[in-house]
Amino acid sequence: DVKVTQSSRYLVKRTGEKVFLECVQDMDHENMFWYRQDPGLGLRLIYFSYDVKMKEKGDIPEGYSVSREKKERFSLILESASTNQTSMYLCASSLGQGSGGYTFGSGTRLTVV
Amino acid sequence: GQNIDQPTEMTATEGAIVQINCTYQTSGFNGLFWYQQHAGEAPTFLSYNVLDGLEEKGRFSSFLSRSKGYSYLLLKELQMKDSASYLCAVIRLTGGGNKLTFGTGTQLKVEL
């Protein structure tokens, strides 16, 4: 089974801090994604990457950046955390066109105080 | 852009059948997923449709009509453990690869 691992399950950070959320997948998938999930809004795509060093903006990229230096690792960066970035962050990966399904990590619940 | 609509909540009885609908509007359509998500957990894959028609997998079936921008997830012989959020998601091909966008989810409550 594909495993997508997110480095932290729970994280508390202060406003203005730089925050790194890490995601690693172990099945050589080309595509990786970062979503945030908020009540009533569902999962919203922040950024995605279809290859090493490639990135594409999703629907809500403002306030975030990403890094994909290695195929297995996709990092989400909050340059200066704000309270409205308190959310559940989910990483996912998929192979090729994605018909085989997207596998999600278990999520990181980030609280910005 | 794209728009994905599904009902916010549904309630059904254990042992019954329930149908959860999803409508979408998108360019570059390349498939539709249904995911199940229990509270506090990650979404798990249920089904994938890219061609019109019905895909059956055990108690779960999913239907797609591309011309109508419509899909449904059918759950048979409902069990209490089926109480969860069901997420409809559409793949769109963009210049930069696949983009998977989710609806807001349908919260299904299964009652005795």
Side-chain angles (χ1 to χ4, degrees), chain A residues 9 33 35 37 40-41 43 45 48 50 56 59 96-99 101-102 104-105, chain B residues 30 33 35 37 40 42-43 45 48 87 91 93-94 96 98-102 104:
Chain A
R9 189 79 173 98
F33 307 81
Y35 292 86
Q37 187 172 29
L41 297 176
L43 280 95
L45 182 63
F48 64 108
Y50 57 94
E56 291 283 333
D59 298 315
Q97 296 298 310
S99 59
Y102 290 65
F104 283 83
Chain B
N30 197 37
F33 285 102
Y35 277 82
Q37 187 178 27
F45 170 79
Y48 171 73
L87 311 176
I91 303 175
L93 280 178
T94 70
N98 293 304
K99 183 178 174 182
L100 183 66
T101 302
F102 285 82
T104 54

Side-chain angles (χ1 to χ4, degrees), chain A:
Chain A
D1 277 354
V2 177
K3 207 174 227 184
V4 178
T5 303
Q6 294 183 229
S7 53
S8 304
R9 189 79 173 98
Y10 297 95
L11 213 51
V12 180
K13 295 292 181 181
R14 294 192 183 279
T15 301
E17 273 193 80
K18 189 167 186 176
V19 181
F20 292 85
L21 301 184
E22 304 288 347
C23 176
V24 177
Q25 49 95 3
D26 66 359
M27 281 298 287
D28 205 34
H29 279 179
E30 289 129 7
N31 305 310
M32 295 187 77
F33 307 81
W34 275 106
Y35 292 86
R36 63 177 283 177
Q37 187 172 29
D38 302 286
L41 297 176
L43 280 95
R44 292 179 292 166
L45 182 63
I46 304 170
Y47 267 97
F48 64 108
S49 168
Y50 57 94
D51 202 351
V52 175
K53 296 194 188 293
M54 304 304 285
K55 60 184 180 184
E56 291 283 333
K57 291 181 179 179
D59 298 315
I60 50 162
E62 296 78 22
Y64 303 94
S65 62
V66 290
S67 172
R68 189 145 181 223
E69 295 297 317
K70 294 184 178 180
K71 193 173 187 179
E72 67 270 19
R73 185 180 296 270
F74 191 37
S75 304
L76 180 69
I77 304 156
L78 287 68
E79 296 291 342
S80 177
S82 63
T83 55
N84 63 13
Q85 292 178 310
T86 292
S87 186
M88 171 66 86
Y89 289 88
L90 288 158
C91 175
S93 74
S94 76
L95 180 67
Q97 296 298 310
S99 59
Y102 290 65
T103 301
F104 283 83
S106 52
T108 297
R109 171 129 348 246
L110 173 67
T111 302
V112 182
V113 298

